[in-house]
Amino acid sequence: MPTACWNLLSQTALGALMPSSLSKDASKVSTSSRCGISKCQTRLIIGSFRAAGFPSPKSCVKHERVQPTSAISDILTNDNSTMSTADVETENIGLFGMDSALESYKDHFRYRIMRYVEQKKLIETYEGSLEEFAQGYLKFGFNREKGYILYQEWAPAAQEAEVIGDFNGWDGSNHRMEKNQFGVWSIKIPDCNGNPAIPHKSRVKFRFKHGNGDWIDRIPAWIKYATVDPGKFAAPYDGVYWDPPPSERYQFKYPRPPNPKSTRIYEAHVGMSSSEPRINSYQEFADDVLPRIQANGYNTVQLMAVMEHSYYASFGYHVTNFFAASSRSGTPEDLKYLIDKAHSLGLRVLMDVVHSHTSNNITDGLNGFDVGQSSQDSYFHTGERGYHKLWDSRLFNYANWEVLRFLLSNLRWWIEEFNFDGFRFDGVTSMLYHHHGINTTFTGNYNEYFSEATDVDAVVYMMLANHLIHKILPDATVVAEDVSGMPGLCRPVSDGGIGFDYRLAMAIPDKWIDYLKNKKDEDWSMKEITCSLTNRRYTEKCIAYAESHDQAIVGDKTVAFFLMDKEMYSNMSCLTEAPPEVERGIALHKMIHFITMALGGEGYLNFMGNEFGHPEWIDFPREGNGWSYEKCRRQWDLVDTDHLRYKVIVFERGDLVFVFNFHPENMYDGYKVGCDLPGKYRVALDSDAWEFGGHGRVGHDVDHFTTPEGVPGVPETNFNNRPNSFKVLSPPRTALVYYMVEETLEENNHNKSTTFSEAGTATLVEDEENIKKLASADKSGSFSESSTTGRLENEEREFASSENRGVVSSEAEGPN
């Protein structure tokens, strides 16, 4: 199959079939039997199973979504509120109205809210407001003032301190700093002849005297740029004073795109985005890769490894300099160009932010400021609590005043200085619990979430962070990487939640990998797949994904590589007949990603290159591979080369009907599917269509008329609890989507329709034009109107205002 066709399916599905509006993040699914992993009635799978740590659907259904009372909302979110926690009863917490099972833990919630409110009030009392507090970068680090440069650093353990660098020949004797009662060292460095004493791009360091009398040099904690000598092996990074003249500062030209109704994320790593074995630049990514992302129907880019990290192979997760953009790919101004270019294309940009831990490096990381002092005077906890034994990294003390200033200011810095549109918080599970999730299995018992194991300091920090982010940027998107399923994680702070907008549905890729590794195709359980895809908490939105960067790193395999393995090296050309492994692999690759996008959540994520089945794994340069970049790149030529090929589940979502046949061999003709709305249905998308490299077994100009089922209003007399049904052809390993034909649309198209018998040549030409239109569907996600292919309306379809509808046909059920 041509990779362009493979990619076209991804583009078409993303642009046209993702939900445009999900007022409730729930999926209502029906099946003839129960899910094997829980005792819930799967007719009402609304994303909250006890088996996954969530209340049963029955308990969710009887509670309507409630708005928080003015009192609790006021105390949690109003910066000017004069109320205290004593004024509010725990029964007013909005979370309890959505999940009554949480009321058993009201003492925990009361304590958590009290800690949050008290911390917020203290900040407002002594710093003016949370927003002002989060502008620490205007006070700390190097800041240009009128006639001088002000440099300030928090280092309570230092006995003496001075600033050194290229500007003073690395001799700080004339630039000694003074310490105040809070452990903050300061110095004003006067201009020289009207120019800054420290030139732009010159190297600087903070030198301080240890308690044992030794002097040590460190990169300033708030440094805004850091570089390394590329000619020296394993050389430490240097802090760089970054203050470009106005003529060299990048000026943003384009506004932020609005928050989409459904988030479609393209997870990307700038450094490894080149097709050549080297590190790519911000500008090259902006010019070469962003247009690909837009063309494929995504509306959001999630950038990994933005914060400076000295170890490239850490994927950016061992941060050394929190306010500095990684210099491997360019300057801060280059990164601004990338973000502005994305905005010009209608793409929002999220940053992968790492506040769960930091690099263990001493010479060029924040850890260098820890010289054995108490936790009160350090960024980190002392002893075991301050060290992550699996990640070999340091852990923050989230109760410390200056740590809160540092981390909250870091978030505001990236939003206001670089115009990021939100964040993906890494390692949230590690933050939520004192055990960091190490050797812990989350069975769903609520005691696992609300006990002494919960790190309330970290919870309060995340509540403050989410309140701040949405205060300064109301349209921000904030995603949590949490595998535990903490209830309330993705509910607003005003409800008593932690305030994230989405959580990553991390169980979904695990389920697919388990099936690919351990099950034959004929053993795949449609019930298990459906339960895994719909297993999420009521009113808490999820980002679904079949695979991310985690599955692509060395030692693991992508979905495409699991499916086709070595065949990807030699049998992907359309110039030769595809072997069965490739036929199966391409078909299942499309279906796995498609059903994950369609049923798995309220948003969707794909890692760079996986949309076209990128072969091999990611292996960063290291000693074990001879420091090679060969497998640390993306082979875009595979998708650009035209001749390369790069069981049944049925459900409704909105007014679309999805049919997935995972069976390796069986084709079902006359297969009955249930639907809510009566009328005439046609094919909107077909993974088996010729233009997607399939066999073209399903007719796209066939009208499917519904038949009433049972007594209206009496579900038990209906077909799969649906009052109507229609019959379809369902080929093996094929995904089909049907839309209901509007009468006005049918009348308008009637005169345009031609049959092959009347004008075969004209129809072929028209079909070719339809394919071209389909490939260039506009950003709103619409199909091009034609008489031979289905289409969506010009504006994104609004999904059901109550609940998404779904119906699952059991494995045993055959055509009727």
Side-chain angles (χ1 to χ4, degrees), residues 213-268:
D214 293 336
W215 285 84
I216 53 179
D217 300 345
R218 297 290 182 258
I219 293 179
W222 297 72
I223 200 70
K224 293 162 186 164
Y225 193 48
T227 60
V228 65
D229 185 347
K232 294 182 180 179
F233 178 75
Y237 273 66
D238 290 309
V240 174
Y241 177 66
W242 190 259
D243 185 26
S247 61
E248 296 180 19
R249 291 181 181 272
Y250 186 83
Q251 301 297 320
F252 288 99
K253 304 177 182 66
Y254 300 96
R256 302 174 188 269
N259 200 346
K261 292 180 180 178
S262 61
T263 300
R264 305 189 289 270
I265 299 174
Y266 195 87
E267 185 184 37

